[in-house]
Amino acid sequence: MTTATEATSVRTAARVVGAVKVYGSGDTAVRALDGVDVDFAAGRFTAIMGPSGSGKSTLMHCAAGLDTLTSGAAYIGDTELGSLDDRRLTLLRRDRIGFVFQAFNLVPTLTVAENITLPLDLAGGGGDPEWIEALVDVVGLRDRLHHRPSELSGGQQQRVAVARAFAGRPDVVFADEPTGNLDSRSGQEVLGLLGRAVRQMNRTVVMVTHDPVAAAHADEVVFLADGRLVDRMEAPTADLVLDRMKAFEVRS
Ligand SMILES: Nc1ncnc2c1ncn2[C@@H]1O[C@H](COP(=O)(O)OP(=O)(O)OP(=O)(O)O)[C@@H](O)[C@H]1O
Ligand SMILES: [Mg+2]
């Protein structure tokens, strides 16, 4: 049952405040993030969109503790990432964040089952067997568990990476162009999977994409241009997202 308080207070899984990221220095300095404030609500699927070079990957990497901000702050839940030393940051990434990248990054010598539970095994615990079982079914890999990645299609490999990202029930899963290396059908499967993880398994996903069709799978889209947050869109459709992207291109 949901109380009135729960219904109105949205928990934030991740956020950045006044986020500035400058690469390099002097004449060659690039201001990849130029004062971004954004929050990613728990239990939602958010897409980050914007033209190439607008700072999408930088935002994701800084929000996920893979890179540090030049100024401003990044939070996972209530934890400010800048306050953590390297060891605690590594533990936070391991225990509270899942990642999916364009290149599937599976370990070729391990089976599908071993790849899925690798983060948990590295953490020294087996995780929750019932959760892992449910995940294996959601991603549809039950009959591939003892295969190696090289024996799978690209779409199947990315589904393994998705299962691995969710294996430890992280607070948030960050995905950078997860369908970038897939044909459209496999891409749709992976996107459907991310959507089901959010809606049926109460997970949180933040996905970087430049594909309006991919963004339409999200609950909300945030738009970046030139390192700034320029818009947000609830209940996106591919057509609405495409129109919005075209508007940026005309202006820039
Ligand atoms: N390690 C780096 N060193 C220097 N400049 C960088 C570095 N990483 C990114 N940049 C620059 O920062 C800006 C934002 O890059 P970012 O990779 O975040 O863009 P993006 O929106 O993810 O683009 P794409 O859609 O092409 O992946 C770009 O101008 C890029 O050239
Ligand atoms: Mg990128």
Side-chain angles (χ1 to χ4, degrees), residues 26-70:
D27 288 351
T28 57
V30 175
R31 214 171 166 82
L33 296 178
D34 191 16
V36 175
D37 296 300
V38 67
D39 51 86
F40 301 109
R44 298 201 93 196
F45 186 175
T46 307
I48 302 174
M49 282 215 70
S52 183
S54 58
K56 302 181 295 296
S57 295
T58 303
L59 174 61
M60 191 200 104
H61 290 155
C62 292
L66 293 172
D67 200 351
T68 53
L69 290 166
T70 306

Side-chain angles (χ1 to χ4, degrees), residues 52-108:
S52 183
S54 58
K56 302 181 295 296
S57 295
T58 303
L59 174 61
M60 191 200 104
H61 290 155
C62 292
L66 293 172
D67 200 351
T68 53
L69 290 166
T70 306
S71 65
Y75 297 83
I76 295 294
D78 295 327
T79 310
E80 204 250 300
L81 303 185
S83 70
L84 303 178
D85 59 25
D86 281 353
R87 189 183 140 269
R88 287 164 71 210
L89 187 59
T90 302
L91 290 177
L92 176 136
R93 277 199 306 262
R94 189 190 74 188
D95 297 336
R96 296 178 61 187
I97 304 177
F99 294 98
V100 182
F101 295 102
Q102 183 170 336
F104 321 125
N105 294 345
L106 301 178
V107 180

Side-chain angles (χ1 to χ4, degrees), residues 10-29:
V10 178
R11 216 162 47 79
T12 297
R15 71 190 160 107
V16 300
V17 181
V20 171
K21 177 66 178 182
V22 180
Y23 290 110
S25 60
D27 288 351
T28 57

Side-chain angles (χ1 to χ4, degrees), residues 106-121:
L106 301 178
V107 180
T109 52
L110 298 182
T111 64
V112 166
E114 289 164 345
N115 266 286
I116 293 174
T117 57
L118 181 63
L120 301 169
D121 296 338

